């Protein structure tokens, strides 16, 4: 495959390792409202899903969530994330390789800008590289798995979807990338990526592998 002209990264679990604490918080909070889930279930059913859609799904599965639950869970989440989350191993080297190849990159996340201000903002050098190229599904009509977010990022950067590559760690995100007509790499450093390859994504096992997969 040829080099992409734009690489769009998800944020949580791809740039910053924020999934473990946020998913644990989500599991504990849903249990307060009558929905008991294992971490495996939370990971499979809710990872990468927009919070408004999580609320809909949780209610359908029996959670008695209050009307202001989405706002409330974000408040709790922001407080947890302010304690700090590490960068994904290899992400800075990967961005260096993209810069050296002259390939631009952007961020497309289901999370709100305020959340990325916290997680990415805790790493100023990385945040500075991404400013002006960060896109949130909260500014779209729908979040992933809808492709609007990735298509919006590509249009802003002036790149055709067929010339873009998406890096995402969730089924919802990978589905969005594929629906957008973009080459989609499913990031799963802790497994074999079968839940992502099953829908047509390529498995990316370590961020340091990305430059060679993109033919840089």
């Amino acid at each position: 495959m040829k080099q992409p002209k734009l690489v769009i990264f998800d944020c949580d679990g791809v740039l910053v390792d924020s999934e473990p604490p946020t998913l644990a918080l989500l599991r504990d909070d849903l249990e307060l409202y009558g929905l008991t889930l294992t971490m495996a279930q939370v990971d499979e059913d809710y990872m990468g899903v927009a919070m408004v859609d999580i609320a809909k799904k949780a209610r359908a599965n029996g959670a008695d969530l209050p009307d202001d639950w989405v706002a409330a869970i974000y408040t709790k989440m922001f407080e947890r994330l302010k304690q700090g989350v590490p960068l994904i191993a290899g992400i800075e080297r990967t961005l260096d390789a993209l810069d050296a190849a002259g390939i631009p990159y952007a961020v497309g996340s289901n999370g709100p800008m305020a959340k990325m201000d916290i997680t990415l903002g805790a790493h100023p050098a990385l945040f500075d590289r991404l400013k002006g190229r960060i896109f949130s599904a909260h500014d779209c009509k729908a979040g992933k798995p809808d492709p609007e977010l990735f298509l919006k990022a590509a249009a802003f950067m002036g790149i055709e979807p067929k010339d873009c590559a998406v890096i995402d760690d969730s089924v919802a995100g990978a589905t969005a990338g594929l629906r957008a007509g973009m080459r989609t790499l499913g990031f799963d450093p802790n497994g074999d990526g079968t839940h992502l390859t099953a829908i047509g994504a390529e498995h990316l096992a370590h961020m340091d592998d990305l430059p060679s997969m993109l033919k840089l």
Side-chain angles (χ1 to χ4, degrees), residues 62-116:
D64 185 20
L65 302 182
D67 292 341
D68 65 348
W69 181 80
V70 171
I73 192 65
Y74 270 129
T75 297
K76 294 177 183 179
M77 187 178 297
F78 292 171
E79 288 304 309
R80 170 59 186 86
L81 293 174
K82 286 177 182 177
Q83 298 175 27
V85 290
L87 292 177
I88 292 295
I91 188 60
E92 291 176 301
R93 290 187 293 272
T94 293
L95 298 185
D96 288 342
L98 289 169
D99 284 338
I103 298 174
Y105 41 86
V107 180
S109 173
N110 265 350
M113 287 292 188
K115 181 181 178 183
M116 289 184 277

Side-chain angles (χ1 to χ4, degrees), residues 170-178 184 193-202:
S170 70
V171 170
T175 299
L178 294 166
T184 301
T194 52
H195 61 300
L196 298 165
T197 57
I199 63 170
E202 303 169 52

Side-chain angles (χ1 to χ4, degrees), residues 184-207:
T184 301
L185 290 84
F187 183 56
D188 181 11
N190 300 312
D192 58 10
T194 52
H195 61 300
L196 298 165
T197 57
I199 63 170
E202 303 169 52
H203 181 211
L204 172 62
H206 195 285
M207 202 56 68

Side-chain angles (χ1 to χ4, degrees), residues 9 11 15 26 33 57 62 67 69 71 79 89 100 102 114 123 133 138 148 152 154 185 191 204 210-211 215:
F9 293 90
C11 182
L15 297 176
L26 181 63
Y33 297 102
K57 189 169 187 177
D67 292 341
W69 181 80
E79 288 304 309
H123 304 279
R133 294 174 286 170
H138 285 236
E148 180 186 358
K152 180 179 179 180
L185 290 84
L204 172 62
L210 185 57
K215 306 298 182 185

Side-chain angles (χ1 to χ4, degrees), residues 23 26 37-49 57 169-172 195-196:
L23 291 176
L26 181 63
L37 300 167
T38 65
M39 280 306 302
Q41 289 172 316
V42 174
D43 185 74
E44 180 178 353
D45 295 338
Y46 295 95
M47 188 177 79
V49 179
K57 189 169 187 177
D169 66 328
S170 70
V171 170
H195 61 300
L196 298 165

